[in-house]
């Protein structure tokens, strides 16, 4: 079991006894943390909201992108519009309305598909697996696969470039916390898989170093009759996640980590009870996450810390400035707090700075930077 020596933080001026709880009257707490909520941290108490700017010039600003406005619907995932990227991650939004008539293989890294809308079947080297809205599909590097949707699908694609997806260390919570590995599903060599095997001509479109090679076979390469091992496609639905919570303390986003990748983490915010202790903060705290860029994809529900954010949108907060709840959400949490959240969102924290693509720029709400100004509404 991991352990650490007892130590005491430096304390100056007026401060709270504990972080995120019982703040001094008339103050706004701001967390300054390192290594994405995993490293050293300090909490400052201000007399004004840290997001109380009245003007902003320059490229370092918060962004909001409406992915619902992206119209492209290619049958090949490698043609799906690229939204954000760096050396470790490629984030794409893929609309798929018909069955793929070819296979794909990613030789650049693991692929993570989050099914925003739709349902269907995945066929891959390892067999057949159904999927529905809210599913994560982890596809290991080098796997040949294709999708057959039963209805139009909208998919957030998160590629771990030259890396693999792993599970977080759950520490003293134990291996069954957040979700029991027993809920993870894998493809099966069932009758549905056997029925799709044929002697027709099939293409496999292989992505390597960002370029596509097409390999043609006179048969369906998904012709496995058996396999054994522990490297396979994995399915997890957010409905099987049981979030860690405290009625007396607002936990940091890192407590909701679902997958750990090379250079970033993927977290899932699921419905949960809101903190009930009178002195506990009930919305995300103002913070500087000065080592990571933060991305949030809004899947469903009422996003309780944001105004004018709808399903299918993405917010992007680059590291380097304080951010937190919108003014209206903060006031409501103080005057008339809810008892339960119903939001589902996917958060991605990246160690390297992200680049905004032309696709993202084309669907950006440029007024989002002003949304922290009273009354907290994007015009």
């Amino acid at each position: 079991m991991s352990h650490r020596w007892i130590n005491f933080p430096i304390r100056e001026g007026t401060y709270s006894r504990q972080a995120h709880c019982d703040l001094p009257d008339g103050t706004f707490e701001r967390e300054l943390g390192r290594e994405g909520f995993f490293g050293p941290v300090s909490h400052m108490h201000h007399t004004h909201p840290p997001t109380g700017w009245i003007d902003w010039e320059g490229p370092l600003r918060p962004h909001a992108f409406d992915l619902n406005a992206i119209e492209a619907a290619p049958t090949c995932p490698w043609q799906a519009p690229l939204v954000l990227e760096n050396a470790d991650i490629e984030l794409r939004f893929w609309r798929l309305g018909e069955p793929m008539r070819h296979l794909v293989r990613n030789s650049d890294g693991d692929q993570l598909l989050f099914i925003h809308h739709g349902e269907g079947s995945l066929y891959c080297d390892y067999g057949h697996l159904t999927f529905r809205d809210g599913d994560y599909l982890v596809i290991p590097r080098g796997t040949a696969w294709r999708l057959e949707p039963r209805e139009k699908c909208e998919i957030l694609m998160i590629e771990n470039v030259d890396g693999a997806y792993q599970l977080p260390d759950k520490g003293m919570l134990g291996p069954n916390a957040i979700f029991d590995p027993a809920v993870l599903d894998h493809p099966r060599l069932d009758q549905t898989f056997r029925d799709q095997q044929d002697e027709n001509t099939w293409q496999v479109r292989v992505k390597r170093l960002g370029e596509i090679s097409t390999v043609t076979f006179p048969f369906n390469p998904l012709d496995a009759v058996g396999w054994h091992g522990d490297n396979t496609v994995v399915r997890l639905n957010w409905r099987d996640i049981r979030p860690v919570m405290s009625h007396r303390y607002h936990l940091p986003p890192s407590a909701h980590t679902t997958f750990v990748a090379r250079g970033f983490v993927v977290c899932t915010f699921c419905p949960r009870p809101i903190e009930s202790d009178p002195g506990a903060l009930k919305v995300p705290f103002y913070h500087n996450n000065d080592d990571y860029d933060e991305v949030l994809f809004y899947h469903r529900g009422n996003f309780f810390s944001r105004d004018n954010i709808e399903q299918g949108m993405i917010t992007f907060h680059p590291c380097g400035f304080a951010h937190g709840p919108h003014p209206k959400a903060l006031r409501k949490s103080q005057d008339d707090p809810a008892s339960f959240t119903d939001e589902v969102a996917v958060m991605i924290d990246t160690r390297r700075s992200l680049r905004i693509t032309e696709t993202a720029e084309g669907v950006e709400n440029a007024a989002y930077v002003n949304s922290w100004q009273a009354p907290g509404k994007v015009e």
Side-chain angles (χ1 to χ4, degrees):
M1 182 176 179
S2 61
H3 60 276
R4 57 176 296 178
W5 292 101
I6 296 173
N7 63 347
F8 296 91
I10 299 169
R11 288 162 290 185
E12 283 287 334
T14 300
Y15 52 85
S16 60
R17 186 169 173 81
Q18 296 190 42
H20 319 322
C21 303
D22 300 311
L23 306 185
D25 289 342
T27 68
F28 298 86
E29 179 195 63
R30 175 170 63 108
E31 178 172 297
L32 294 89
R34 304 301 305 273
E35 293 301 321
F37 305 103
F38 289 97
V41 64
S42 293
H43 295 89
M44 290 193 178
H45 297 278
H46 299 274
T47 56
H48 298 90
T51 54
W53 52 74
I54 59 172
D55 189 26
W56 194 300
E57 296 181 8
L60 183 68
R61 69 180 191 276
H63 302 269
F65 310 107
D66 187 359
L67 303 190
N68 299 295
I70 295 177
E71 298 180 356
T75 56
C76 180
W78 309 147
Q79 296 172 343
L82 182 64
V83 179
L84 297 166
E85 66 172 342
N86 64 24
D88 300 319
I89 185 174
E90 289 187 356
L91 188 66
R92 299 175 184 269
F93 192 66
W94 183 25
R95 281 193 170 88
L96 180 65
E98 59 184 89
M100 296 172 60
R101 302 302 182 187
H102 62 277
L103 300 169
V104 294
R105 178 184 295 130
N106 190 347
S107 292
D108 283 336
D110 281 13
Q111 199 78 40
L112 179 64
L113 308 184
F114 179 76
I115 310 300
H116 178 47
H117 284 309
E119 61 180 24
S121 290
L122 174 140
Y123 297 92
C124 66
D125 286 321
Y126 302 99
H128 165 247
L129 184 66
T130 60
F131 63 84
R132 62 162 295 185
D133 67 290
D135 276 339
Y136 286 107
L137 301 175
V138 183
I139 304 177
R141 183 177 185 168
T143 301
W145 60 276
R146 67 184 177 91
L147 300 184
E148 282 195 4
R150 283 192 286 273
E151 61 185 54
K152 186 175 181 179
C153 293
E154 295 182 350
I155 301 169
L156 185 70
M157 297 178 53
I158 311 168
E159 179 181 328
N160 188 195
V161 180
D162 198 29
Y165 285 104
Q166 298 177 309
L167 299 180
D169 180 3
K170 299 174 185 178
M172 64 183 182
L173 294 176
N176 305 111
I178 307 176
F179 62 86
D180 190 320
V183 306
L184 299 174
D185 296 308
H186 61 83
R188 302 292 178 138
L189 299 180
D190 55 18
Q191 188 60 47
T192 302
F193 180 73
R194 291 189 290 271
D195 288 345
Q196 61 89 48
Q197 296 174 343
D198 58 37
E199 301 301 316
N200 297 324
T201 300
W202 281 84
Q203 290 183 345
V204 182
R205 299 178 186 177
V206 184
K207 186 168 80 70
R208 175 60 179 159
L209 299 179
E211 296 184 334
I212 310 301
S213 299
T214 301
V215 186
T216 303
F217 294 86
F219 56 85
N220 184 347
L222 301 185
D223 61 353
V225 296
W227 64 274
H228 59 94
D230 55 9
N231 179 40
T232 185
V233 171
V234 172
R235 181 185 69 195
L236 171 69
N237 193 283
W238 68 261
R239 297 170 179 84
D240 290 319
I241 296 175
R242 300 177 183 270
V244 177
M245 63 191 73
S246 168
H247 71 290
R248 301 195 66 202
Y249 176 75
H250 189 91
L251 297 173
S254 51
H256 306 290
T257 302
T258 309
F259 301 106
V260 178
R262 188 182 77 95
F264 63 95
V265 297
V266 178
C267 306
T268 311
F269 298 146
C270 298
R272 61 170 180 83
I274 289 179
E275 297 78 13
S276 58
D277 185 278
L281 194 64
K282 298 171 177 60
V283 288
F285 43 85
Y286 294 108
H287 62 284
N288 284 56
N289 189 356
D290 284 320
D291 290 318
Y292 281 71
D293 280 1
E294 299 180 2
V295 174
L296 262 175
F297 174 75
Y298 300 89
H299 172 53
R300 60 181 293 175
N302 178 31
F303 308 110
F304 74 114
S305 66
R306 291 283 178 268
D307 291 328
N308 294 79
I309 294 295
E310 306 294 338
Q311 298 178 15
M313 296 182 70
I314 274 185
T315 55
F316 168 36
H317 300 160
C319 70
F321 65 92
H323 49 278
H326 280 140
K328 189 167 66 176
L330 180 61
R331 287 196 301 270
K332 187 178 187 308
S333 74
Q334 297 167 337
D335 301 336
D336 183 26
S339 60
F340 207 89
T341 74
D342 66 347
E343 71 176 16
V344 181
V346 177
M347 188 185 85
I348 303 164
D349 267 16
T350 68
R351 187 62 178 82
R352 300 176 195 250
S353 297
L354 288 163
R355 183 183 73 85
I356 300 171
T357 67
E358 290 185 5
T359 295
E361 290 175 345
V363 296
E364 181 174 5
N365 179 355
Y368 179 66
V369 67
N370 300 319
S371 60
W372 281 269
Q373 298 176 15
K377 181 178 180 180
V378 180
E379 299 297 341

